[in-house]
Amino acid sequence: MSNRSFVFLISLVAAMGGFLFGFDTAVISGAEQTIQKLWGLSDFYHGLAVAIALYGTVIGALFGGIPCDRLGRKWTLLLVGIFYLVSALGSALAPEVYSFMFFRFLGGLGVGASSIAAPLYISEIAPAKSRGKLVALFQFNIVFGILIAYVSNYFIGGEGVNDWRWMLGIEAFPALLFTFLVPFIPRSPRWLLVKKGDEKEARAILNRVDPENVDEAIRSIQEDHARLTKAKSTGLFSKKFRTPIMLAVTIAFFNQVSGINAIIYYAPRIFESSGLGTSTAFISTMGIGLINLVFTMIGITLIDKTGRKNLMIVGSFGLILCLGLIAHAFLVQSFSGITYFFFFYIGFFALSQGTVIWVFISEIFPNEVRASGQSLGSFTHWILAAVIANAFPFFASEFGEGIIFAFFTGMMILQLVFVWKVMPETKGKSLEEIGHEYMDK
């Protein structure tokens, strides 16, 4: 097997955590209305039942950096697979809402930890020239998982009282496959060097993934580690890391105030609010999943060529236009073309924020604090996702969808300013170059 094929395959295995991430996130959209009726949930408890997985994700993201540093990226991914498996089976078999929320929370822990461990692992094992597209495999698998969840919901959903249980339980099959494959991938060479001081194993792995630059990579990693150790700046909240912290938190913030998770979680409900029937709403939701996948593939092919920043600029303009049109449609109650507005919105998001976020956050921190930096960025992303998903039904009921989408539009205008004036370009640089360049001197 060639070095290139080897790197792709191990990256693909790690990125399967993204498939489970996407499936787990989106599958609830097909079951949420049935669950509300089945257990007679108020708007508050309904929102909590839907968003509880996201609260688990927040915890998983907040503390996921700890096992990544102590156990390593590889074995953290194995724990993630086990969490997904138990969550899928437990949620499907839950007899009442409280046990259902417990198992959905457990799956959320897996999502949060995978959003740290998988991009971290791939970024640390991939050659610089192809790092963007390989880390973006994680995002590709997220949107592929979302699409498969929508398709699965469409074909499973019907008049059966237990259809929602099959919707949730079917996730156990990919979770089992992921758990089986992870033990066969190598450990991160950067983790081995920085956390374990194991040059022998790190060198052997680098010889498989990037044989032309082994000595240079090891020297760069060791010099970077020595410099940070000498400066006594290995804690994430050292003042030297203010710039990467600001960049990670800001891009994660804008990712969620674009409204993406409100749409992913409540797509059928939003489409029904615009006058579409239930069946048509589910078909339109599958259209969202397909467009998400196609434009993520386009983003993956472009990210190492055009760079992260250019994708974000193009996407910001598109999101502002689409969200503005959606807000206007709901405010004036004229829904002609609204399905296409959502489709274009998803396309611009997938091309920009969707493709870039996990790549960018996994790049901008030095090796010593990359796990905790990724954890901080992921935590910011998921705490906002949880709040938005939990609050969306209430605010949609109180103020209407038009006001909510107008708010999202305003946030994307601010994102455009941030990307244009502040966001740096990281394509083609080694992780050590990036970490040193954006660390406050």
PDB file of all heavy atoms in Angstrom, residues 97-121:
ATOM      1  N   VAL A  97     -39.203   9.297  29.116  1.00  0.00           N
ATOM      2  CA  VAL A  97     -38.395  10.405  28.633  1.00  0.00           C
ATOM      3  C   VAL A  97     -37.078  10.558  29.392  1.00  0.00           C
ATOM      4  O   VAL A  97     -36.074  10.971  28.812  1.00  0.00           O
ATOM      5  CB  VAL A  97     -39.199  11.722  28.672  1.00  0.00           C
ATOM      6  CG1 VAL A  97     -39.463  12.188  30.099  1.00  0.00           C
ATOM      7  CG2 VAL A  97     -38.493  12.812  27.875  1.00  0.00           C
ATOM      8  N   TYR A  98     -37.039  10.205  30.673  1.00  0.00           N
ATOM      9  CA  TYR A  98     -35.829  10.452  31.458  1.00  0.00           C
ATOM     10  C   TYR A  98     -34.693   9.504  31.059  1.00  0.00           C
ATOM     11  O   TYR A  98     -33.536   9.926  30.923  1.00  0.00           O
ATOM     12  CB  TYR A  98     -36.132  10.370  32.957  1.00  0.00           C
ATOM     13  CG  TYR A  98     -37.130  11.411  33.389  1.00  0.00           C
ATOM     14  CD1 TYR A  98     -38.437  11.056  33.717  1.00  0.00           C
ATOM     15  CD2 TYR A  98     -36.770  12.756  33.429  1.00  0.00           C
ATOM     16  CE1 TYR A  98     -39.362  12.022  34.090  1.00  0.00           C
ATOM     17  CE2 TYR A  98     -37.695  13.729  33.804  1.00  0.00           C
ATOM     18  CZ  TYR A  98     -38.985  13.357  34.130  1.00  0.00           C
ATOM     19  OH  TYR A  98     -39.903  14.310  34.491  1.00  0.00           O
ATOM     20  N   SER A  99     -35.004   8.227  30.880  1.00  0.00           N
ATOM     21  CA  SER A  99     -33.968   7.298  30.409  1.00  0.00           C
ATOM     22  C   SER A  99     -33.581   7.635  28.971  1.00  0.00           C
ATOM     23  O   SER A  99     -32.404   7.520  28.592  1.00  0.00           O
ATOM     24  CB  SER A  99     -34.442   5.847  30.513  1.00  0.00           C
ATOM     25  OG  SER A  99     -35.628   5.651  29.774  1.00  0.00           O
ATOM     26  N   PHE A 100     -34.556   8.079  28.181  1.00  0.00           N
ATOM     27  CA  PHE A 100     -34.251   8.519  26.814  1.00  0.00           C
ATOM     28  C   PHE A 100     -33.236   9.659  26.833  1.00  0.00           C
ATOM     29  O   PHE A 100     -32.242   9.635  26.095  1.00  0.00           O
ATOM     30  CB  PHE A 100     -35.546   8.988  26.128  1.00  0.00           C
ATOM     31  CG  PHE A 100     -35.338   9.636  24.792  1.00  0.00           C
ATOM     32  CD1 PHE A 100     -35.156   8.866  23.660  1.00  0.00           C
ATOM     33  CD2 PHE A 100     -35.321  11.021  24.673  1.00  0.00           C
ATOM     34  CE1 PHE A 100     -34.960   9.465  22.414  1.00  0.00           C
ATOM     35  CE2 PHE A 100     -35.125  11.633  23.450  1.00  0.00           C
ATOM     36  CZ  PHE A 100     -34.939  10.853  22.317  1.00  0.00           C
ATOM     37  N   MET A 101     -33.465  10.636  27.690  1.00  0.00           N
ATOM     38  CA  MET A 101     -32.546  11.770  27.757  1.00  0.00           C
ATOM     39  C   MET A 101     -31.175  11.344  28.255  1.00  0.00           C
ATOM     40  O   MET A 101     -30.151  11.861  27.804  1.00  0.00           O
ATOM     41  CB  MET A 101     -33.140  12.884  28.630  1.00  0.00           C
ATOM     42  CG  MET A 101     -34.292  13.619  27.964  1.00  0.00           C
ATOM     43  SD  MET A 101     -34.729  15.201  28.748  1.00  0.00           S
ATOM     44  CE  MET A 101     -35.441  14.638  30.282  1.00  0.00           C
ATOM     45  N   PHE A 102     -31.120  10.379  29.180  1.00  0.00           N
ATOM     46  CA  PHE A 102     -29.826   9.899  29.675  1.00  0.00           C
ATOM     47  C   PHE A 102     -28.996   9.313  28.544  1.00  0.00           C
ATOM     48  O   PHE A 102     -27.811   9.639  28.390  1.00  0.00           O
ATOM     49  CB  PHE A 102     -30.025   8.855  30.775  1.00  0.00           C
ATOM     50  CG  PHE A 102     -28.743   8.152  31.149  1.00  0.00           C
ATOM     51  CD1 PHE A 102     -27.811   8.771  31.980  1.00  0.00           C
ATOM     52  CD2 PHE A 102     -28.465   6.882  30.649  1.00  0.00           C
ATOM     53  CE1 PHE A 102     -26.620   8.134  32.314  1.00  0.00           C
ATOM     54  CE2 PHE A 102     -27.269   6.237  30.982  1.00  0.00           C
ATOM     55  CZ  PHE A 102     -26.353   6.871  31.811  1.00  0.00           C
ATOM     56  N   PHE A 103     -29.594   8.440  27.746  1.00  0.00           N
ATOM     57  CA  PHE A 103     -28.842   7.792  26.668  1.00  0.00           C
ATOM     58  C   PHE A 103     -28.507   8.773  25.540  1.00  0.00           C
ATOM     59  O   PHE A 103     -27.442   8.668  24.916  1.00  0.00           O
ATOM     60  CB  PHE A 103     -29.604   6.581  26.141  1.00  0.00           C
ATOM     61  CG  PHE A 103     -29.550   5.395  27.069  1.00  0.00           C
ATOM     62  CD1 PHE A 103     -30.678   4.983  27.762  1.00  0.00           C
ATOM     63  CD2 PHE A 103     -28.359   4.711  27.261  1.00  0.00           C
ATOM     64  CE1 PHE A 103     -30.625   3.895  28.626  1.00  0.00           C
ATOM     65  CE2 PHE A 103     -28.288   3.627  28.128  1.00  0.00           C
ATOM     66  CZ  PHE A 103     -29.420   3.215  28.814  1.00  0.00           C
ATOM     67  N   ARG A 104     -29.394   9.722  25.271  1.00  0.00           N
ATOM     68  CA  ARG A 104     -29.072  10.753  24.279  1.00  0.00           C
ATOM     69  C   ARG A 104     -27.920  11.629  24.786  1.00  0.00           C
ATOM     70  O   ARG A 104     -27.055  12.043  24.025  1.00  0.00           O
ATOM     71  CB  ARG A 104     -30.303  11.621  23.994  1.00  0.00           C
ATOM     72  CG  ARG A 104     -31.384  10.953  23.170  1.00  0.00           C
ATOM     73  CD  ARG A 104     -30.969  10.717  21.740  1.00  0.00           C
ATOM     74  NE  ARG A 104     -30.775  11.992  21.030  1.00  0.00           N
ATOM     75  CZ  ARG A 104     -30.146  12.095  19.866  1.00  0.00           C
ATOM     76  NH1 ARG A 104     -29.609  11.028  19.287  1.00  0.00           N
ATOM     77  NH2 ARG A 104     -30.021  13.275  19.285  1.00  0.00           N
ATOM     78  N   PHE A 105     -27.911  11.885  26.089  1.00  0.00           N
ATOM     79  CA  PHE A 105     -26.807  12.637  26.704  1.00  0.00           C
ATOM     80  C   PHE A 105     -25.485  11.882  26.530  1.00  0.00           C
ATOM     81  O   PHE A 105     -24.457  12.478  26.212  1.00  0.00           O
ATOM     82  CB  PHE A 105     -27.105  12.852  28.183  1.00  0.00           C
ATOM     83  CG  PHE A 105     -26.044  13.619  28.931  1.00  0.00           C
ATOM     84  CD1 PHE A 105     -26.014  15.003  28.898  1.00  0.00           C
ATOM     85  CD2 PHE A 105     -25.073  12.950  29.676  1.00  0.00           C
ATOM     86  CE1 PHE A 105     -25.031  15.718  29.592  1.00  0.00           C
ATOM     87  CE2 PHE A 105     -24.097  13.650  30.370  1.00  0.00           C
ATOM     88  CZ  PHE A 105     -24.076  15.043  30.326  1.00  0.00           C
ATOM     89  N   LEU A 106     -25.526  10.564  26.711  1.00  0.00           N
ATOM     90  CA  LEU A 106     -24.335   9.740  26.544  1.00  0.00           C
ATOM     91  C   LEU A 106     -23.805   9.824  25.113  1.00  0.00           C
ATOM     92  O   LEU A 106     -22.594   9.942  24.889  1.00  0.00           O
ATOM     93  CB  LEU A 106     -24.664   8.286  26.904  1.00  0.00           C
ATOM     94  CG  LEU A 106     -23.491   7.339  27.152  1.00  0.00           C
ATOM     95  CD1 LEU A 106     -22.690   7.783  28.364  1.00  0.00           C
ATOM     96  CD2 LEU A 106     -24.014   5.910  27.345  1.00  0.00           C
ATOM     97  N   GLY A 107     -24.713   9.784  24.143  1.00  0.00           N
ATOM     98  CA  GLY A 107     -24.295   9.954  22.754  1.00  0.00           C
ATOM     99  C   GLY A 107     -23.693  11.323  22.522  1.00  0.00           C
ATOM    100  O   GLY A 107     -22.735  11.472  21.749  1.00  0.00           O
ATOM    101  N   GLY A 108     -24.234  12.325  23.207  1.00  0.00           N
ATOM    102  CA  GLY A 108     -23.675  13.665  23.101  1.00  0.00           C
ATOM    103  C   GLY A 108     -22.248  13.739  23.601  1.00  0.00           C
ATOM    104  O   GLY A 108     -21.410  14.442  23.031  1.00  0.00           O
ATOM    105  N   LEU A 109     -21.949  13.003  24.677  1.00  0.00           N
ATOM    106  CA  LEU A 109     -20.567  12.937  25.158  1.00  0.00           C
ATOM    107  C   LEU A 109     -19.648  12.416  24.057  1.00  0.00           C
ATOM    108  O   LEU A 109     -18.532  12.914  23.863  1.00  0.00           O
ATOM    109  CB  LEU A 109     -20.467  12.024  26.384  1.00  0.00           C
ATOM    110  CG  LEU A 109     -21.141  12.499  27.673  1.00  0.00           C
ATOM    111  CD1 LEU A 109     -21.006  11.415  28.758  1.00  0.00           C
ATOM    112  CD2 LEU A 109     -20.539  13.805  28.172  1.00  0.00           C
ATOM    113  N   GLY A 110     -20.127  11.421  23.329  1.00  0.00           N
ATOM    114  CA  GLY A 110     -19.351  10.875  22.219  1.00  0.00           C
ATOM    115  C   GLY A 110     -19.145  11.886  21.108  1.00  0.00           C
ATOM    116  O   GLY A 110     -18.048  12.008  20.557  1.00  0.00           O
ATOM    117  N   VAL A 111     -20.193  12.635  20.773  1.00  0.00           N
ATOM    118  CA  VAL A 111     -20.080  13.667  19.743  1.00  0.00           C
ATOM    119  C   VAL A 111     -19.050  14.710  20.140  1.00  0.00           C
ATOM    120  O   VAL A 111     -18.178  15.099  19.345  1.00  0.00           O
ATOM    121  CB  VAL A 111     -21.446  14.342  19.484  1.00  0.00           C
ATOM    122  CG1 VAL A 111     -21.291  15.566  18.577  1.00  0.00           C
ATOM    123  CG2 VAL A 111     -22.427  13.352  18.859  1.00  0.00           C
ATOM    124  N   GLY A 112     -19.133  15.186  21.385  1.00  0.00           N
ATOM    125  CA  GLY A 112     -18.210  16.219  21.851  1.00  0.00           C
ATOM    126  C   GLY A 112     -16.769  15.758  21.823  1.00  0.00           C
ATOM    127  O   GLY A 112     -15.871  16.472  21.364  1.00  0.00           O
ATOM    128  N   ALA A 113     -16.526  14.528  22.312  1.00  0.00           N
ATOM    129  CA  ALA A 113     -15.163  14.004  22.326  1.00  0.00           C
ATOM    130  C   ALA A 113     -14.649  13.741  20.917  1.00  0.00           C
ATOM    131  O   ALA A 113     -13.476  13.977  20.624  1.00  0.00           O
ATOM    132  CB  ALA A 113     -15.112  12.722  23.159  1.00  0.00           C
ATOM    133  N   SER A 114     -15.531  13.272  20.018  1.00  0.00           N
ATOM    134  CA  SER A 114     -15.084  13.001  18.649  1.00  0.00           C
ATOM    135  C   SER A 114     -14.735  14.285  17.909  1.00  0.00           C
ATOM    136  O   SER A 114     -13.856  14.293  17.041  1.00  0.00           O
ATOM    137  CB  SER A 114     -16.160  12.226  17.870  1.00  0.00           C
ATOM    138  OG  SER A 114     -17.280  13.026  17.590  1.00  0.00           O
ATOM    139  N   SER A 115     -15.412  15.392  18.255  1.00  0.00           N
ATOM    140  CA  SER A 115     -15.114  16.667  17.588  1.00  0.00           C
ATOM    141  C   SER A 115     -13.757  17.216  18.006  1.00  0.00           C
ATOM    142  O   SER A 115     -13.251  18.156  17.388  1.00  0.00           O
ATOM    143  CB  SER A 115     -16.219  17.695  17.884  1.00  0.00           C
ATOM    144  OG  SER A 115     -16.213  18.094  19.241  1.00  0.00           O
ATOM    145  N   ILE A 116     -13.170  16.629  19.043  1.00  0.00           N
ATOM    146  CA  ILE A 116     -11.797  16.967  19.438  1.00  0.00           C
ATOM    147  C   ILE A 116     -10.824  15.932  18.891  1.00  0.00           C
ATOM    148  O   ILE A 116      -9.870  16.246  18.184  1.00  0.00           O
ATOM    149  CB  ILE A 116     -11.672  17.026  20.975  1.00  0.00           C
ATOM    150  CG1 ILE A 116     -12.579  18.102  21.543  1.00  0.00           C
ATOM    151  CG2 ILE A 116     -10.224  17.279  21.385  1.00  0.00           C
ATOM    152  CD1 ILE A 116     -12.733  18.041  23.040  1.00  0.00           C
ATOM    153  N   ALA A 117     -11.077  14.662  19.210  1.00  0.00           N
ATOM    154  CA  ALA A 117     -10.098  13.610  18.935  1.00  0.00           C
ATOM    155  C   ALA A 117      -9.879  13.364  17.454  1.00  0.00           C
ATOM    156  O   ALA A 117      -8.733  13.187  17.015  1.00  0.00           O
ATOM    157  CB  ALA A 117     -10.542  12.318  19.619  1.00  0.00           C
ATOM    158  N   ALA A 118     -10.943  13.344  16.651  1.00  0.00           N
ATOM    159  CA  ALA A 118     -10.779  13.000  15.231  1.00  0.00           C
ATOM    160  C   ALA A 118     -10.026  14.080  14.441  1.00  0.00           C
ATOM    161  O   ALA A 118      -9.032  13.766  13.769  1.00  0.00           O
ATOM    162  CB  ALA A 118     -12.141  12.699  14.601  1.00  0.00           C
ATOM    163  N   PRO A 119     -10.442  15.367  14.485  1.00  0.00           N
ATOM    164  CA  PRO A 119      -9.655  16.378  13.763  1.00  0.00           C
ATOM    165  C   PRO A 119      -8.219  16.483  14.278  1.00  0.00           C
ATOM    166  O   PRO A 119      -7.287  16.692  13.503  1.00  0.00           O
ATOM    167  CB  PRO A 119     -10.424  17.683  14.024  1.00  0.00           C
ATOM    168  CG  PRO A 119     -11.789  17.270  14.407  1.00  0.00           C
ATOM    169  CD  PRO A 119     -11.628  15.961  15.119  1.00  0.00           C
ATOM    170  N   LEU A 120      -8.061  16.322  15.591  1.00  0.00           N
ATOM    171  CA  LEU A 120      -6.739  16.386  16.210  1.00  0.00           C
ATOM    172  C   LEU A 120      -5.843  15.281  15.654  1.00  0.00           C
ATOM    173  O   LEU A 120      -4.707  15.524  15.233  1.00  0.00           O
ATOM    174  CB  LEU A 120      -6.914  16.198  17.713  1.00  0.00           C
ATOM    175  CG  LEU A 120      -5.901  16.794  18.677  1.00  0.00           C
ATOM    176  CD1 LEU A 120      -5.787  18.294  18.473  1.00  0.00           C
ATOM    177  CD2 LEU A 120      -6.328  16.480  20.111  1.00  0.00           C
ATOM    178  N   TYR A 121      -6.361  14.068  15.652  1.00  0.00           N
ATOM    179  CA  TYR A 121      -5.604  12.918  15.169  1.00  0.00           C
ATOM    180  C   TYR A 121      -5.201  13.105  13.702  1.00  0.00           C
ATOM    181  O   TYR A 121      -4.033  12.914  13.339  1.00  0.00           O
ATOM    182  CB  TYR A 121      -6.443  11.646  15.322  1.00  0.00           C
ATOM    183  CG  TYR A 121      -5.764  10.414  14.770  1.00  0.00           C
ATOM    184  CD1 TYR A 121      -4.856   9.694  15.548  1.00  0.00           C
ATOM    185  CD2 TYR A 121      -6.017   9.983  13.475  1.00  0.00           C
ATOM    186  CE1 TYR A 121      -4.222   8.568  15.040  1.00  0.00           C
ATOM    187  CE2 TYR A 121      -5.383   8.872  12.950  1.00  0.00           C
ATOM    188  CZ  TYR A 121      -4.486   8.160  13.733  1.00  0.00           C
ATOM    189  OH  TYR A 121      -3.850   7.056  13.216  1.00  0.00           O
TER     190      TYR A 121
END
